[in-house]
Amino acid sequence: MGGSGFVVTLPPIRQPRHRLIRPNELARAVELAALRLSTVADPAARRLVLLLIDADEDPACVLAPRLLLDAQHAARACDFACVLAVVEYESWFVAAASSLGEFLHPEVGDPASADPERARHGKRWIERRFREPKYSETIDQRRMTAAMDLGACRRASRSFDKLCREIAARAVAK
């Protein structure tokens, strides 16, 4: 985070989830992220490494603290936050489905739940409603994220709300 009141984000370091939940692999990814952050021109800038992964079948309340502990050792020169998308990142799209009409067919037979995380709506829910021939994480996540209503997502998803709270806490921290 820049000291001048704006946030500079670097391109994500994409890693398979199964690697990031291993302590040594997570440490390696965090060290790489910290190294990349050290290249930011403003030496007074606060630096945050954000680990964002799918919770999948793991309880976020168990896995996230373990990952946070594993990664904090590797992120000594940076602040570190860990957020798990419950169930999957696509659950956030379900939470904001009303704003994603250009990507999703109207809900038929299986409407989005007011609590998509508890209903376990995720990638499969999105794939069944996707307007284009096939949903692709690497192509469509970026476009859908840019289009989704963040307020609606935050109201319907506790894990997205957690992401917002983590970022907001650092925006006001001195």
Side-chain angles (χ1 to χ4, degrees):
M1 294 187 194
S4 58
F6 62 92
V7 176
V8 175
T9 58
L10 302 180
I13 300 169
R14 294 182 64 102
Q15 297 273 329
R17 179 190 185 278
H18 71 274
R19 287 181 58 194
L20 289 173
I21 62 174
R22 291 189 213 140
N24 291 343
E25 295 292 332
L26 176 58
R28 204 170 304 163
V30 170
E31 288 168 1
L32 175 59
L35 180 63
R36 283 190 184 175
L37 282 173
S38 71
T39 65
V40 174
D42 183 355
R46 291 192 320 258
R47 290 170 170 80
L48 171 67
V49 173
L50 171 66
L51 173 65
L52 174 60
I53 64 171
D54 293 347
D56 287 343
E57 300 298 322
D58 292 311
C61 61
V62 174
L63 183 58
R66 193 200 88 203
L67 295 174
L68 184 62
L69 201 60
D70 291 344
Q72 283 175 329
H73 299 302
R76 291 185 189 124
C78 301
D79 190 6
F80 182 82
C82 178
V83 176
L84 275 61
V86 178
V87 164
E88 299 168 318
Y89 189 88
E90 287 80 6
S91 299
W92 295 352
F93 296 147
V94 178
S98 62
S99 64
L100 295 172
E102 75 179 277
F103 302 99
L104 304 173
H105 289 290
E107 301 160 6
V108 178
D110 184 16
S113 167
D115 189 351
E117 294 170 345
R118 178 169 287 156
R120 304 210 46 84
H121 290 313
K123 191 180 305 182
R124 300 289 175 255
W125 193 94
I126 295 296
E127 288 171 341
R128 287 193 303 267
R129 287 159 184 78
F130 201 66
R131 287 188 182 274
E132 294 178 18
K134 186 176 179 185
Y135 171 73
S136 166
E137 289 177 41
T138 55
I139 295 169
D140 299 312
Q141 278 184 354
R142 181 177 294 168
R143 298 182 315 141
M144 292 175 75
T145 299
M148 73 184 200
D149 179 336
L150 301 178
C153 185
R154 189 171 186 180
R155 287 186 296 276
S157 168
R158 287 180 299 283
S159 63
F160 186 76
D161 179 61
K162 164 82 168 146
L163 173 66
C164 295
R165 286 183 283 119
E166 290 285 350
I167 292 170
R170 278 131 179 119
V172 297
K174 297 289 180 191

